[in-house]
Amino acid sequence: MKKTRLAVFVSGSGTNLQAIIDAGIPTVEIVLVLSNNPGAYALERAKKHGIPAVAADHKNFPGREEYEKHVLGLLEPYNVDLIALAGFMRILSPHFVKAYKNRIVNIHPALLPSFPGMHAARQALESGVKFTGCTVHFVDEGVDSGPIILQAVVPVRDDDDEESLLERIHKEEHRIYPEALKFIASGKFRIEGKRVLAAS
Ligand code: GRF
């Protein structure tokens, strides 16, 4: 069976990348790790595992269009089936999203559609919710608004601060991201509007 050729886009530490590597999903091959931040520790993680790792620094380009053109060019020789955003701190334009329609996924540290955007754990604390969590979703033209693939719930404790809550959310992220990628690689699903449904 052909493996799904996965590119992982990162900007920072890359603990989700590590979780995906460690999961060793038999149907998924990580063919490229790309970071917009040349100093991202995630690049080191990739190299340690012999995975091609490239820095594509957005600061070297005059605008989003030129930057994304460069990234699309970098991807081309790798024949990428799927892109997983794992802490990638750049918004992708509708043009890029269209080029990989329903083939880009993201992990977000909240139960979407609650708390999209930045500082999701802080938003959860400030809103007073008793449960938050994390979400793996397809990327569409909006911000954290695409069809939801998998979610995990994390209770908010009375003594939580942003850091403690995020730490527990991360543990769940590391569990569900590989699971979601395995599910997508199986191809046994369909997307109906906003819903991702398991194919029978
Ligand atoms: C995660 O919290 C993820 O939800 C968010 O960015 C963070 C990435 O962390 N999109 P890491 O680089 O995988 O450690």
Side-chain angles (χ1 to χ4, degrees):
M1 188 189 150
K2 183 193 172 287
K3 287 191 182 196
T4 294
R5 296 175 64 79
L6 179 73
V8 184
F9 284 14
V10 295
S11 298
S13 150
T15 61
N16 278 287
L17 167 68
Q18 191 67 55
I20 296 165
I21 294 171
D22 292 346
I25 309 162
T27 47
V28 173
E29 182 181 356
I30 307 172
V31 294
L32 180 68
V33 171
L34 182 145
S35 174
N36 68 304
N37 167 16
Y41 183 62
L43 290 172
E44 301 308 314
R45 295 184 193 267
K47 285 178 201 155
K48 272 186 203 158
H49 290 272
I51 300 166
V54 293
D57 191 346
H58 60 282
K59 293 194 191 109
N60 295 336
F61 297 83
R64 195 180 300 277
E65 199 182 321
E66 293 84 353
Y67 178 61
E68 291 188 350
K69 212 170 157 189
H70 175 70
V71 171
L72 286 170
L74 283 174
L75 288 175
E76 218 172 272
Y78 291 95
N79 292 318
V80 167
D81 299 309
L82 185 68
I83 298 171
L85 309 182
F88 185 64
M89 300 301 285
R90 307 292 304 163
I91 304 267
L92 296 171
S93 73
H95 173 75
F96 193 102
V97 171
K98 261 194 208 110
Y100 281 85
K101 191 169 164 50
N102 292 336
R103 295 196 294 146
I104 309 174
V105 295
N106 181 42
I107 185 137
H108 182 76
L111 291 175
L112 292 170
S114 291
F115 317 128
M118 298 289 287
H119 309 301
R122 193 187 304 169
Q123 291 185 56
L125 281 173
E126 283 169 358
S127 77
V129 292
K130 299 297 184 190
F131 294 93
T132 184
C134 48
T135 302
V136 182
H137 63 94
F138 284 107
V139 173
D140 68 5
E141 283 80 2
V143 175
D144 301 324
S145 58
I148 291 170
I149 301 159
L150 205 55
Q151 294 184 303
V153 174
V154 173
V156 180
R157 294 183 184 153
D158 286 357
D159 60 355
D160 263 331
D161 57 19
E162 193 179 346
E163 198 188 323
S164 64
L165 181 56
L166 253 183
E167 198 182 308
R168 295 204 312 288
I169 292 172
H170 276 147
K171 278 203 185 118
E172 290 301 298
E173 289 185 347
H174 300 159
R175 185 176 66 76
I176 69 167
Y177 213 173
E179 204 181 311
L181 293 172
K182 191 175 162 193
F183 172 71
I184 297 160
S186 78
K188 292 181 181 155
F189 68 91
R190 63 183 195 279
I191 302 174
E192 274 181 20
K194 284 272 193 184
R195 302 184 76 193
V196 179
L197 303 170
S200 45

